[in-house]
Amino acid sequence: MTLVPLETALERLLEDARPLSASESVALHEAYGRVLAEPVAALRTQPPFDASAMDGYAIRGADAGVAGNRLSVIGEVAAGGTFPGTVGAGECVRIFTGAPLPAGADTVVIQEDVTVVSPGMVELREPTRAGRNVRGAGLDFVEGDLLIDKGQLLGPSSLSLAASANHPRLCVVKRPLVAIIATGDELRAPGSTLGPGQIISSNAYGVAALARAAGAEVLDLGIAPDSRDAIAALVKKAVAAGADVIVTLGGASVGDHDLVHEVLTGEGMTLDFWKIAMRPGKPLMFGRMGDIRCIGLPGNPVASLVCSQLFLKPLLARLGGRPFRQDMRTARLGARMPANDRRQDYVRARIDELDGELVATPFDLQDSSMLRVLAASGGLIVRAPFAPASDAGEACQVLMLG
């Protein structure tokens, strides 16, 4: 089978991916990092009244412009309270930040600009311009104002804004559900006592973390042995659970025990592509089962994680209506690299900063089973197909790893 160029594979995987139409209402404290499904309008006016912006004295503007002017203190008002009277000529009210401005007053003189002459009398040290230190009603927003557009990713400031507008809940785009199925007779869960020929199943944990980082929910369906019936049973569970994406780990190559393609096809999957021109990750498979997207990841753990970064994360971000862009940066090579073959390479590298520039030094060992090397990598040097040899110090493109 001809190897599909990586760019072509990514285009085909994403070409009809749109944000999921389903939405759900969530409590405000659960809405961080979610995508807004409906616009948010203000349910109230903020501030709802003319409020003091400082601690000081509320006065009439006509009394504020002359240093040495003495004013009678006729009361006090703090945030959460009100002053029942009206401020007249030559009068003031002690006021604190956030308190509503008393009737008759339109200016606040800060306490540092006032001398207390006696318990009931103050003197202005400095003149104050009329209207100073007052937050007018509706300064931030007025009831009915559109505050947050549909499709916005909800962060700390937008959540505080929604709360201030009196929204206890928000309508957000439903997270895409990813069902993960590991396959292989040799796999056992972490913590197991291993028998001859057995290994620990590790891929699902990293893939699940990448999926959650892209805004998805994860359903880990565990390990299926190399049995058509066992794999098919877990695929059926994924479908019944309403999965938007089914991710299989391993079993997508061409060996006698690689049964995933056969099982998925039997369950209704239409294959889009299988095997792409990249390293690590050549045996990547993608197809559709109705509205469900099926991604068959390689069994090698490094290949599985690199393919998830390149294909699964952008797909999930698009389904969830989230912005996504790979963190690509320019760096200098820290060591010479040989010419490349027909596959696009993603070379694990240590990333350092030297004199304001990034330096990417490839690790000597690049075997796709070596998670320790990947975990120590700050990025992946991207080597295009048939790239010529490059000397240390030459520019290169690096996909940064979070």
Side-chain angles (χ1 to χ4, degrees):
M1 182 179 290
T2 302
L3 297 182
V4 179
L6 185 142
E7 293 79 5
T8 302
L10 186 58
E11 287 175 5
R12 284 160 61 174
L13 183 135
L14 296 177
E15 64 184 357
D16 63 347
R18 300 287 183 272
L20 300 175
S21 58
S23 62
E24 59 183 344
S25 174
V26 298
L28 204 57
H29 68 273
E30 297 175 341
Y32 175 74
R34 302 297 297 271
V35 175
L36 201 58
E38 295 179 356
V40 172
L43 300 178
R44 58 183 290 274
T45 295
Q46 175 61 24
F49 42 74
D50 292 343
S52 178
M54 304 288 284
D55 291 344
Y57 293 84
I59 67 175
R60 300 186 322 145
D63 291 332
V66 180
N69 198 13
R70 292 193 172 189
L71 303 169
S72 298
V73 182
I74 62 171
E76 178 178 298
V77 60
T82 57
F83 179 72
T86 300
V87 177
E91 295 178 337
C92 66
V93 169
R94 180 74 165 112
I95 196 167
F96 296 91
T97 304
L101 211 63
D106 58 14
T107 304
V108 172
V109 180
I110 62 174
Q111 60 190 23
E112 292 87 346
D113 290 343
V114 170
T115 299
V116 178
V117 178
S118 68
M121 182 72 65
V122 295
E123 181 178 290
L124 303 184
R125 293 180 185 173
E126 301 287 342
T128 298
R129 177 171 51 82
R132 285 294 302 275
N133 305 314
V134 174
R135 298 187 178 114
L139 175 66
D140 197 357
F141 52 80
V142 174
E143 183 177 348
D145 282 353
L146 175 63
L147 301 181
I148 314 173
D149 284 330
K150 173 183 176 180
Q152 292 292 308
L153 189 66
L154 293 167
S157 58
S158 53
L159 289 178
S160 289
L161 176 58
S164 181
N166 207 24
H167 286 273
R169 303 181 68 84
L170 294 174
C171 185
V172 296
V173 175
K174 190 175 182 297
R175 288 190 178 111
L177 177 62
V178 180
I180 299 177
I181 302 170
T183 67
D185 288 337
E186 74 279 15
L187 299 180
R188 294 295 181 272
S192 299
T193 300
L194 299 181
Q198 295 177 344
I199 61 173
I200 293 296
S201 178
S202 60
N203 297 13
Y205 301 93
V207 172
L210 284 166
R212 292 189 180 101
E217 292 186 15
V218 174
L219 173 63
D220 187 345
L221 291 172
I223 302 168
D226 291 321
S227 154
R228 291 173 181 81
D229 290 343
I231 297 171
L234 293 187
V235 171
K236 286 181 171 68
K237 280 188 177 181
V239 174
D244 300 293
V245 180
I246 296 175
V247 174
T248 59
L249 306 175
S253 191
V254 293
D256 292 340
H257 297 281
D258 293 332
L259 306 173
V260 168
H261 170 255
E262 177 185 335
V263 171
L264 288 173
T265 302
E267 294 297 320
M269 183 190 78
T270 300
L271 181 67
D272 191 313
F273 61 79
W274 187 11
K275 295 183 171 47
I276 57 177
M278 68 173 287
R279 183 176 31 243
K282 183 179 77 169
L284 181 76
M285 180 179 66
F286 174 65
R288 292 174 176 82
M289 186 187 299
D291 292 331
I292 302 173
R293 290 162 172 82
C294 303
I295 298 179
L297 293 175
N300 281 329
V302 173
S304 179
L305 291 173
V306 171
C307 287
S308 294
Q309 178 71 39
L310 294 172
F311 292 93
L312 182 60
K313 283 186 74 174
L315 173 63
L316 294 176
R318 188 165 292 189
L319 293 177
R322 298 164 61 91
F324 181 81
R325 187 177 68 173
Q326 299 286 8
D327 187 4
M328 298 293 301
R329 304 190 197 181
T330 299
R332 297 288 176 185
L333 284 174
R336 188 178 189 278
M337 298 195 72
N340 198 15
D341 61 15
R342 63 175 179 155
R343 287 198 273 169
Q344 182 148 309
D345 254 353
Y346 288 85
V347 181
R348 279 74 78 197
R350 187 182 72 248
I351 307 298
D352 301 297
E353 187 172 341
L354 182 64
D355 298 329
E357 285 190 310
L358 294 180
V359 178
T361 305
F363 287 98
D364 292 334
L365 297 176
Q366 293 287 325
D367 190 281
S368 60
S369 69
M370 298 180 65
L371 282 171
R372 184 175 181 179
V373 173
L374 181 63
S377 299
L380 304 172
I381 300 171
V382 182
R383 299 278 288 164
F386 303 109
S390 302
D391 290 325
E394 289 188 31
C396 66
Q397 290 299 301
V398 175
L399 171 59
M400 302 296 289
L401 300 176

